[in-house]
Amino acid sequence: TDASVRAFTLRGAEAFGFGAAQESARQGDRLMFAMSTPTAGIELWTSDGTVDGTEMLEIVPGTAGAWVSDLTVVGDVLYFTAITDGTYYGPRSLWRYVAGGTPEQISSPVLTPQFVAPSQLAAAGELLLFTATLSGTSDTEVFSYDGESFQRLSNVPNANNL
């Protein structure tokens, strides 16, 4: 197995419930992907390549789904964003998943009052980088997360007004 492969797009797998440009990421020996079903909406899934080793990691119970996206692996941790209020337009929050565990929400207006709407996740060594809107403003800034704490890396006032 080539350990340098971090993400790929599945093509031609629509018959199996995947979209034409399905988002996925490799976490160790597992494929992590977001998939929509009629009974669960868009949720996080994991697979070892077998039927018995494929399961949904349900974040929002019911048919609304969590609208999982931005799948990004840093070290042995999968980070992703999700909408957990049952709507497509709700606030996006940051989550993490360690293989064998339970997905854990790590950002929200309560957990991280300094920012909202994290997106554009990227791995940079052992750091997770992402953009988010500063709370109470329309300014989008760059943040990092080291697995323990968040740090704002940019300071671009009125960045959305340029």
Side-chain angles (χ1 to χ4, degrees), residues 98-120:
V98 177
T102 302
E104 174 189 14
Q105 186 175 12
I106 58 173
S107 85
S108 73
V110 173
L111 295 172
T112 52
Q114 69 269 33
F115 67 83
V116 296
S119 64
Q120 300 176 337

Side-chain angles (χ1 to χ4, degrees), residues 3-80:
S4 65
V5 176
R6 302 287 269 171
F8 55 90
T9 301
L10 299 174
R11 303 262 185 229
E14 292 84 359
F16 302 105
F18 288 93
Q22 184 70 41
E23 187 173 356
S24 62
R26 178 181 175 173
Q27 183 183 28
D29 62 353
R30 301 196 64 84
L31 173 66
M32 307 300 295
F33 55 97
M35 187 169 81
S36 179
T37 67
T39 58
I42 299 174
E43 290 286 354
L44 181 64
W45 287 72
T46 180
S47 179
D48 65 1
T50 67
V51 172
D52 290 340
T54 302
E55 66 178 320
M56 178 178 61
L57 303 171
E58 190 171 39
I59 295 164
V60 175
T63 60
W67 295 91
V68 171
S69 67
D70 297 307
L71 303 178
T72 305
V73 175
V74 179
D76 62 352
V77 179
L78 173 74
Y79 293 96
F80 60 96

Side-chain angles (χ1 to χ4, degrees), residues 42 59-60 64-68 81-93 95:
I42 299 174
I59 295 164
V60 175
W67 295 91
V68 171
T81 61
I83 298 172
T84 57
D85 71 351
T87 71
Y88 175 75
Y89 297 103
R92 206 159 263 294
S93 58
W95 289 69

